[in-house]
Amino acid sequence: MGAPEAYDADQIDDLARRAQDGDRPALEELLTAVRPRALRVCQGVLPHSADAEDACQEALINIAGKIGGWGRRGRFTTWMHAVAVNSARTTYRRMKNQAVPADPQAEGGGSLERPDPRTTSVIAGTRLDLLEAMETLEREHPQVVEPLLLRDVYGLPYDEIAALVGAPLGTIKAQIHHGRRLARELLRGGVE
Protein backbone atom coordinates (compact mmCIF):
# COMPACT_ATOMS: atom_id res chain seq x y z
CA MET A 1 0.00 0.00 0.00
CA GLY A 2 1.52 3.29 -1.11
CA ALA A 3 1.47 6.67 0.50
CA PRO A 4 -1.85 8.53 0.32
CA GLU A 5 -2.27 10.89 -2.57
CA ALA A 6 -1.51 14.51 -1.71
CA TYR A 7 -4.51 16.79 -2.00
CA ASP A 8 -4.42 20.51 -2.57
CA ALA A 9 -6.70 22.91 -0.68
CA ASP A 10 -9.23 23.12 -3.54
CA GLN A 11 -9.54 19.33 -3.72
CA ILE A 12 -10.02 19.11 0.05
CA ASP A 13 -12.68 21.85 -0.07
CA ASP A 14 -14.46 19.95 -2.85
CA LEU A 15 -14.40 16.71 -0.86
CA ALA A 16 -15.70 18.55 2.21
CA ARG A 17 -18.60 20.11 0.27
CA ARG A 18 -19.53 16.70 -1.13
CA ALA A 19 -19.26 15.14 2.33
CA GLN A 20 -21.50 17.87 3.79
CA ASP A 21 -24.03 17.04 1.09
CA GLY A 22 -24.14 13.42 2.29
CA ASP A 23 -21.62 11.72 0.00
CA ARG A 24 -20.24 8.97 2.28
CA PRO A 25 -17.30 7.96 0.00
CA ALA A 26 -16.26 11.64 -0.17
CA LEU A 27 -16.29 11.79 3.65
CA GLU A 28 -14.07 8.71 3.87
CA GLU A 29 -11.68 10.15 1.30
CA LEU A 30 -11.69 13.52 3.08
CA LEU A 31 -10.79 11.94 6.42
CA THR A 32 -7.93 10.05 4.76
CA ALA A 33 -6.74 13.25 3.07
CA VAL A 34 -6.71 15.39 6.24
CA ARG A 35 -5.44 12.76 8.70
CA PRO A 36 -1.71 13.63 8.28
CA ARG A 37 -2.46 17.32 8.83
CA ALA A 38 -4.66 16.59 11.87
CA LEU A 39 -1.93 14.39 13.33
CA ARG A 40 0.67 17.16 12.92
CA VAL A 41 -1.65 19.58 14.72
CA CYS A 42 -2.13 17.11 17.58
CA GLN A 43 1.61 16.44 17.77
CA GLY A 44 2.11 20.18 18.19
CA VAL A 45 0.12 20.02 21.42
CA LEU A 46 0.93 16.51 22.67
CA PRO A 47 4.58 15.53 22.18
CA HIS A 48 4.07 11.85 23.07
CA SER A 49 3.15 10.06 19.83
CA ALA A 50 0.54 7.70 21.32
CA ASP A 51 -1.29 10.65 22.91
CA ALA A 52 -1.16 12.58 19.63
CA GLU A 53 -2.55 9.53 17.79
CA ASP A 54 -5.46 9.33 20.27
CA ALA A 55 -6.18 13.02 19.84
CA CYS A 56 -5.98 12.69 16.04
CA GLN A 57 -8.51 9.86 16.10
CA GLU A 58 -10.81 12.00 18.24
CA ALA A 59 -10.31 14.89 15.82
CA LEU A 60 -11.29 12.74 12.83
CA ILE A 61 -14.42 11.53 14.65
CA ASN A 62 -15.29 15.14 15.47
CA ILE A 63 -14.66 16.24 11.89
CA ALA A 64 -16.97 13.51 10.59
CA GLY A 65 -19.66 14.28 13.15
CA LYS A 66 -19.50 18.06 12.94
CA ILE A 67 -18.76 18.58 9.26
CA GLY A 68 -22.00 20.53 9.01
CA GLY A 69 -20.35 23.17 11.21
CA TRP A 70 -17.95 24.17 8.43
CA GLY A 71 -19.60 27.28 7.03
CA ARG A 72 -17.81 27.12 3.65
CA ARG A 73 -16.63 30.73 4.18
CA GLY A 74 -12.96 29.84 4.47
CA ARG A 75 -10.83 26.84 3.71
CA PHE A 76 -11.95 23.53 5.15
CA THR A 77 -8.41 22.94 6.40
CA THR A 78 -8.62 26.06 8.57
CA TRP A 79 -11.83 24.78 10.18
CA MET A 80 -10.31 21.30 10.51
CA HIS A 81 -7.26 22.83 12.19
CA ALA A 82 -9.42 24.32 14.94
CA VAL A 83 -11.24 21.00 15.44
CA ALA A 84 -7.89 19.19 15.74
CA VAL A 85 -6.53 21.77 18.23
CA ASN A 86 -9.64 21.40 20.37
CA SER A 87 -9.42 17.59 20.21
CA ALA A 88 -5.78 17.68 21.31
CA ARG A 89 -6.59 19.99 24.18
CA THR A 90 -9.53 17.79 25.20
CA THR A 91 -7.25 14.73 25.15
CA TYR A 92 -4.74 16.60 27.31
CA ARG A 93 -7.46 17.58 29.81
CA ARG A 94 -8.77 14.01 29.95
CA MET A 95 -5.26 12.63 30.56
CA LYS A 96 -4.60 15.27 33.20
CA ASN A 97 -7.84 14.43 35.02
CA GLN A 98 -7.11 10.70 34.89
CA ALA A 99 -3.55 11.07 36.17
CA VAL A 100 -3.07 9.86 39.70
CA PRO A 101 -0.14 11.51 41.43
CA ALA A 102 2.26 9.22 43.23
CA ASP A 103 2.25 9.44 47.00
CA PRO A 104 5.51 11.18 47.92
CA GLN A 105 5.22 9.67 51.43
CA ALA A 106 5.06 6.11 50.11
CA GLU A 107 8.21 4.00 50.02
CA GLY A 108 10.20 4.91 46.95
CA GLY A 109 7.89 7.87 46.22
CA GLY A 110 9.61 10.82 44.68
CA SER A 111 9.00 14.51 44.65
CA LEU A 112 6.36 15.76 42.25
CA GLU A 113 7.81 19.23 41.92
CA ARG A 114 6.72 20.91 38.75
CA PRO A 115 9.55 22.03 36.48
CA ASP A 116 10.11 25.74 36.27
CA PRO A 117 8.87 26.78 32.78
CA ARG A 118 11.53 29.48 32.66
CA THR A 119 14.25 26.85 32.75
CA THR A 120 12.54 23.87 31.08
CA SER A 121 12.98 23.65 27.35
CA VAL A 122 9.97 22.77 25.21
CA ILE A 123 12.47 21.05 22.94
CA ALA A 124 13.49 18.84 25.86
CA GLY A 125 10.12 17.12 25.57
CA THR A 126 7.34 18.96 27.38
CA ARG A 127 4.77 21.52 26.51
CA LEU A 128 3.00 21.09 29.81
CA ASP A 129 3.81 24.64 30.85
CA LEU A 130 2.12 25.99 27.71
CA LEU A 131 -0.87 23.67 28.11
CA GLU A 132 -1.28 24.70 31.75
CA ALA A 133 -1.14 28.37 30.74
CA MET A 134 -3.81 27.76 28.08
CA GLU A 135 -6.01 25.98 30.64
CA THR A 136 -5.75 28.99 32.96
CA LEU A 137 -6.46 31.42 30.11
CA GLU A 138 -9.45 29.37 29.03
CA ARG A 139 -10.95 29.71 32.52
CA GLU A 140 -10.17 33.39 32.96
CA HIS A 141 -10.10 34.81 29.40
CA PRO A 142 -11.74 32.24 27.08
CA GLN A 143 -12.04 34.62 24.12
CA VAL A 144 -8.26 34.82 23.62
CA VAL A 145 -7.34 31.12 23.71
CA GLU A 146 -8.44 29.90 20.28
CA PRO A 147 -7.08 32.90 18.32
CA LEU A 148 -3.81 32.77 20.28
CA LEU A 149 -3.29 29.04 19.66
CA LEU A 150 -4.23 29.30 16.00
CA ARG A 151 -1.78 32.18 15.44
CA ASP A 152 1.18 31.52 17.70
CA VAL A 153 1.25 27.73 17.92
CA TYR A 154 -0.07 26.81 14.49
CA GLY A 155 0.88 29.87 12.46
CA LEU A 156 -2.45 30.56 10.77
CA PRO A 157 -2.76 34.03 9.22
CA TYR A 158 -4.85 36.62 11.04
CA ASP A 159 -7.45 36.82 8.25
CA GLU A 160 -8.05 33.05 8.30
CA ILE A 161 -8.44 33.12 12.07
CA ALA A 162 -10.94 35.99 11.79
CA ALA A 163 -12.96 34.05 9.20
CA LEU A 164 -12.80 30.87 11.27
CA VAL A 165 -14.00 32.39 14.53
CA GLY A 166 -16.36 34.86 12.87
CA ALA A 167 -14.87 38.01 14.36
CA PRO A 168 -13.51 41.22 12.80
CA LEU A 169 -9.80 41.21 11.96
CA GLY A 170 -9.06 44.04 14.42
CA THR A 171 -10.76 42.14 17.24
CA ILE A 172 -8.72 39.04 16.47
CA LYS A 173 -5.47 41.02 16.49
CA ALA A 174 -6.40 42.62 19.81
CA GLN A 175 -7.34 39.26 21.35
CA ILE A 176 -4.06 37.71 20.22
CA HIS A 177 -2.03 40.66 21.56
CA HIS A 178 -3.88 40.47 24.91
CA GLY A 179 -3.52 36.68 25.00
CA ARG A 180 0.23 36.90 24.38
CA ARG A 181 0.66 39.31 27.28
CA LEU A 182 -1.36 37.07 29.61
CA ALA A 183 0.44 33.91 28.45
CA ARG A 184 3.86 35.50 29.02
CA GLU A 185 2.86 36.38 32.59
CA LEU A 186 1.57 32.85 33.22
CA LEU A 187 4.67 31.22 31.78
CA ARG A 188 6.84 33.43 34.00
CA GLY A 189 4.69 32.51 36.99
CA GLY A 190 3.36 36.06 37.41
CA VAL A 191 -0.38 35.35 37.36
CA GLU A 192 -2.32 32.68 39.20
Side-chain angles (χ1 to χ4, degrees):
M1 184 166 166
E5 178 183 334
Y7 294 82
D8 67 26
D10 290 333
Q11 291 170 315
I12 290 174
D13 286 353
D14 180 58
L15 284 171
R17 281 190 290 277
R18 290 179 18 222
Q20 272 188 326
D21 293 339
D23 184 339
R24 180 76 180 171
L27 177 61
E28 295 297 326
E29 189 175 348
L30 174 67
L31 294 174
T32 300
V34 299
R35 186 187 184 287
R37 186 182 303 239
L39 181 58
R40 281 191 305 276
V41 169
C42 294
Q43 288 169 331
V45 176
L46 300 163
H48 187 265
S49 62
D51 298 338
E53 287 282 346
D54 288 347
C56 179
Q57 189 62 32
E58 183 179 323
L60 295 174
I61 290 168
N62 288 334
I63 289 166
K66 299 176 181 180
I67 195 162
W70 175 50
R72 299 185 183 193
R73 290 185 308 266
R75 289 288 186 188
F76 178 79
T77 52
T78 302
W79 178 83
M80 180 236 52
H81 206 105
V83 172
V85 166
N86 289 333
S87 295
R89 292 180 63 227
T90 298
T91 298
Y92 167 74
R93 281 199 272 313
R94 184 176 58 248
M95 290 174 4
K96 179 181 166 188
N97 291 337
Q98 291 173 347
V100 178
D103 181 2
Q105 305 302 323
E107 188 176 321
S111 171
L112 293 178
E113 284 185 34
R114 189 164 176 214
D116 183 346
R118 294 168 292 188
T119 60
T120 303
S121 169
V122 172
I123 296 169
T126 182
R127 288 201 169 175
L128 296 181
D129 52 340
L130 175 62
L131 291 170
E132 290 294 328
M134 292 301 108
E135 291 290 310
T136 300
L137 283 179
E138 189 166 50
R139 281 190 308 273
E140 298 174 8
H141 305 278
Q143 71 282 3
V144 304
V145 174
E146 185 176 20
L148 181 63
L149 284 173
L150 291 172
R151 178 66 188 152
D152 287 357
V153 175
Y154 298 103
L156 290 181
Y158 291 106
D159 58 338
E160 284 186 31
I161 297 167
L164 181 64
V165 300
L169 184 60
T171 299
I172 292 300
K173 288 181 177 182
Q175 288 174 339
I176 291 169
H177 176 75
H178 184 61
R180 285 174 178 159
R181 185 182 57 74
L182 294 169
R184 275 192 300 270
E185 291 173 11
L186 287 168
L187 290 170
R188 288 184 191 130
V191 175
E192 286 296 319

